[in-house]
Amino acid sequence: MANLIDSRDAVAAHGPREMPIGVALLRAREERSQAYPVVGAIFGKYSREVENYEKSERKEKTTMKRLSIFLATVLLMLSAATLPATRAIAQQAAVTDDNLDQAIANAKTPANHEAIAAFYEQEAADTKKKADLHRRSAETYRKSGLFSRPVGMPGMGKMCDNVAAMWDQIAADTEKLAKEHHEMAKKAAAPTRQ
């Protein structure tokens, strides 16, 4: 039974993870067959099977590498092609102090009007915060009593009240602008009758 080999000898000879156990056994048989010519004639077909298996493994690995490189290249080109369009859409949608006039002049789609409305809503929220700040300041001035004026002249508290009222009016008008742009967006989205 010198020509038979168990899997432990094959793993010891070729390492546990280098190749599948069946290939390791076939290689070990091939080595034994070379040592014993009579056995080599019997197991000669196994060496061809090992060679064919190794060739197919190399070919499969090469194909997979090529496919991976191709897919990575396609994805890179696709992302590079869509990046400018994505940036243009993102930049167009954000309305700021600097581009408000341009956004109003070019507003035609519902998204354009909604972006302008969002800008005005944020402005109204910021303006309300300023009004609240001045109301708190007015209260602080009144409590401190340090900044009172002679009769007939407005005190600091009164001036802060006036500023708060101004910010409240600005916030209300800004909210109206936002509401109007929401309405324009709805009208732009509605199908036109002809």
Side-chain angles (χ1 to χ4, degrees):
M1 298 266 156
N3 62 348
L4 296 177
I5 185 166
D6 67 74
S7 62
R8 288 179 301 219
D9 292 339
V11 169
H14 299 288
R17 298 202 186 265
E18 289 183 19
M19 64 185 75
I21 193 70
V23 174
L25 287 171
L26 291 174
R27 277 210 174 147
R29 285 182 184 168
E30 180 182 354
E31 290 170 4
R32 288 283 170 102
S33 68
Q34 289 173 357
Y36 303 100
V38 174
V39 177
I42 297 171
F43 292 108
K45 67 177 185 178
Y46 292 116
S47 67
R48 285 187 299 279
E49 289 177 13
V50 169
E51 284 179 23
N52 290 340
Y53 177 79
E54 288 175 345
K55 284 181 185 177
S56 68
E57 282 289 310
R58 282 193 302 270
K59 187 176 181 179
E60 187 176 322
K61 285 181 183 178
T62 303
T63 304
M64 290 301 291
K65 283 182 184 177
R66 287 181 181 165
L67 182 62
S68 298
I69 291 171
F70 175 75
L71 288 175
T73 304
V74 167
L75 286 174
L76 182 65
M77 291 173 64
L78 183 63
S79 64
T82 59
L83 185 62
T86 305
R87 280 188 181 168
I89 291 170
Q91 289 174 352
Q92 184 181 23
V95 177
T96 64
D97 291 338
D98 297 332
N99 69 0
L100 177 62
D101 293 336
Q102 183 182 5
I104 292 169
N106 296 330
K108 292 176 181 47
T109 67
N112 297 144
H113 289 290
E114 289 296 335
I116 295 168
F119 170 81
Y120 282 132
E121 287 169 346
Q122 184 60 49
E123 285 291 310
D126 293 343
T127 306
K128 286 178 182 179
K129 287 180 185 176
K130 289 179 183 180
D132 290 340
L133 171 72
H134 286 282
R135 266 191 283 285
R136 287 192 310 270
S137 296
E139 197 60 37
T140 303
Y141 282 126
R142 283 190 195 94
K143 286 180 183 176
S144 71
L146 296 175
F147 300 99
S148 59
R149 300 275 179 148
V151 177
M153 297 197 63
M156 298 292 271
K158 180 65 177 162
M159 284 190 270
C160 285
D161 285 336
N162 292 340
V163 172
M166 176 195 69
W167 285 119
D168 284 334
Q169 183 60 48
I170 293 171
D173 290 343
T174 307
E175 286 174 338
K176 288 177 187 175
L177 288 169
K179 184 179 177 183
E180 287 299 319
H181 276 282
H182 282 302
E183 290 298 319
M184 290 179 196
K186 288 178 186 175
K187 288 178 184 175
T192 58
R193 294 182 192 176
Q194 294 191 10

